[in-house]
Amino acid sequence: MNLNTLLSEAVLRKEESKRASMTSGTDFSKLIRMGFNEHPYGMSPKALKVILEESAKSNFYGDFRKTALKQAIADFYGMDFENVYASAGSSPLIETIGCAFLNPGDEVLMCPTFAAFLDMAGIRMAKPVVVPLNDDMTYDLDGIYEAITDKTKIIVVCNPNNPTGTYVGKEKLLDFIRKVPDNILILMDEAYLEFATAPDCVSMYPLVKEMPDKPIIVLKTFSKYYGMAGVRVGYALASPEIIRALDKCPGSMISRAGQAGAIAALSDQEYYQEAKKKVVEGINYLERELEALGCKVYHTQTNFILIDPHMNAQEVQAKVIEAGIMISAPSVCRVSVGTREENEMFIKVMKDIL
């Protein structure tokens, strides 16, 4: 069975979402965490300072409308307030999108990707249609286009993709979006895009205004690049009509600390650019060393790497945990970048295993 088949089946079984059960009884607090795609250098000190200050006021509710946060996001992207929807992380936002647009019997097209999109379809009794990835583990946009039927309601494109780390270039993505029928919602998940270094791995948010007849939602998060996974802030960029549809559905409240912290994070791009340099250095080191060990490495535009160690992934995961490091094993192995010391420790462990 090849890797493409394994990943396709993993998505359908939601194996990624069950990775914690495969290591039941493990005290994660004592492990070096290189399995959840978290930021190894954490959030901006400015964001942390604001979060601590606002947390002290948590006996008071925050802004239910998230006005300041949505305006800060709109200003950052040069968009309007009406183009922004904010939520307590991407996962509840994905569920809100399903609530707004899916009916029983609708079809949702995707390649093997983040399992929350399966939940989005399942909760609304829609049908997820998973198209295999290309041989190089990139999204098969041609295959997705050919799979469109009169029941297709949403197409999900995760770029760069999770769990593969691969991406689709700008021109190919634009060509695909142009030819998709205008009655199909295109859902772009860009949770990891800010880590990308490839010149043609770019955001599709400008299309919200450049292609007003195309129903496009661009999903973003503060969890990954901004190092705020535990704070829970995500958002969507879309047309005012789409945002109004989302507003009609049950949403999620973002804490006052989360809202203030996210605003502060957006204002501290200098910190995040410096942190990104260290993340990219770590990714390059891991890819180089893992290839030297004989692993098949799928070069990434994210803060994690998908690797085939040519042995059972769960066995590798268990041995790495024994050495004090937690990685993910969605049918193959996936490792998140750590600090320099953590990356070197991981490579030493992999040398012992392989």
Side-chain angles (χ1 to χ4, degrees):
M1 186 178 292
N2 63 30
L3 178 57
N4 202 339
T5 303
L6 284 170
L7 283 176
S8 296
E9 291 186 354
V11 167
L12 289 171
R13 295 194 311 268
K14 300 208 305 183
E15 183 174 328
E16 179 70 10
S17 67
K18 296 185 291 184
R19 60 186 178 270
S21 66
M22 294 187 292
T23 54
S24 59
T26 301
D27 185 352
F28 286 100
S29 66
K30 297 181 180 179
L31 297 178
I32 296 172
R33 294 164 63 105
M34 298 179 71
F36 291 147
N37 307 343
E38 296 155 327
H39 198 305
Y41 299 104
M43 71 181 76
S44 151
K46 292 180 181 179
L48 179 58
K49 180 176 182 293
V50 170
I51 286 174
L52 292 174
E53 290 172 352
E54 288 299 314
S55 293
K57 307 171 188 176
S58 292
N59 54 312
F60 300 111
Y61 290 113
D63 180 2
F64 291 102
R65 295 189 67 241
K66 307 142 189 164
T67 305
L69 173 60
K70 290 196 290 185
Q71 190 61 61
I73 293 169
D75 292 344
F76 184 79
Y77 289 100
M79 303 187 81
D80 300 322
F81 181 86
E82 293 77 16
N83 292 123
V84 181
Y85 182 93
S87 178
S90 293
S91 292
L93 176 50
I94 291 168
E95 291 181 13
T96 300
I97 292 169
C99 173
F101 297 106
L102 288 177
N103 293 306
D106 287 341
E107 293 181 350
V108 181
L109 294 182
M110 67 188 84
C111 285
T113 190
F114 185 39
F117 294 109
L118 296 176
D119 295 331
M120 176 188 73
I123 289 169
R124 308 307 300 179
M125 292 184 287
K127 178 184 177 182
V129 179
V130 181
V131 175
L133 296 158
N134 292 314
D135 290 340
D136 61 357
M137 294 297 108
T138 58
Y139 240 73
D140 184 3
L141 296 182
D142 293 335
I144 286 181
Y145 183 75
E146 292 170 2
I148 292 174
T149 71
D150 58 359
K151 293 182 179 181
T152 303
K153 180 65 70 69
I154 296 177
I155 293 175
V156 176
V157 180
C158 186
N159 198 45
N161 191 25
N162 176 17
T164 63
T166 56
Y167 80 104
V168 179
K170 176 182 178 181
E171 293 306 319
K172 188 169 185 179
L173 196 49
L174 286 174
D175 289 343
F176 172 76
I177 291 171
R178 290 189 187 104
K179 68 181 183 180
V180 169
D182 292 347
N183 64 326
I184 297 174
L185 177 65
I186 300 173
L187 184 50
M188 297 291 311
D189 182 355
E190 297 181 352
Y192 297 91
L193 188 132
E194 287 82 3
F195 288 113
T197 56
D200 61 339
C201 186
V202 299
S203 177
M204 292 292 106
Y205 81 86
L207 301 187
V208 170
K209 291 198 169 184
E210 293 173 6
M211 297 184 181
D213 295 331
K214 289 284 186 182
I216 298 171
I217 300 178
V218 177
L219 294 179
K220 296 281 192 177
T221 181
F222 284 88
S223 294
K224 306 303 179 182
Y225 181 76
Y226 289 99
M228 299 171 65
V231 180
R232 310 309 302 139
V233 184
Y235 58 101
L237 304 173
S239 69
E241 293 80 9
I242 289 176
I243 299 301
R244 285 196 293 270
L246 297 177
D247 279 333
K248 292 178 181 178
C249 299
S252 56
M253 179 62 186
I254 304 173
S255 69
R256 62 181 299 144
Q259 293 184 50
I263 294 170
L266 285 176
S267 71
D268 197 5
Q269 293 300 312
E270 182 178 356
Y271 168 82
Y272 287 105
Q273 286 297 319
E274 290 302 312
K276 178 177 177 177
K277 290 178 183 177
K278 293 188 283 188
V279 168
V280 172
E281 288 174 1
I283 286 289
N284 292 339
Y285 167 78
L286 289 172
E287 289 185 338
R288 183 174 64 250
E289 293 295 321
L290 288 167
E291 284 186 324
L293 289 174
C295 296
K296 171 62 179 176
V297 174
Y298 294 90
H299 293 277
T300 186
Q301 293 296 315
T302 68
N303 66 334
F304 61 84
I305 307 169
L306 189 73
I307 58 173
D308 183 357
H310 306 300
M311 62 182 290
N312 182 272
Q314 279 70 50
E315 182 181 350
V316 173
Q317 182 190 46
K319 289 180 178 293
V320 171
I321 285 176
E322 288 177 7
I325 302 173
M326 182 269 290
I327 65 170
S328 177
S331 294
V332 285
C333 291
R334 190 189 65 185
V335 59
S336 310
V337 69
T339 64
R340 179 175 178 177
E341 294 76 14
E342 291 167 348
N343 295 334
E344 291 174 351
M345 186 180 301
F346 171 71
I347 291 299
K348 181 180 183 301
V349 171
M350 289 297 288
K351 286 180 180 178
D352 292 339
I353 293 172
L354 298 177

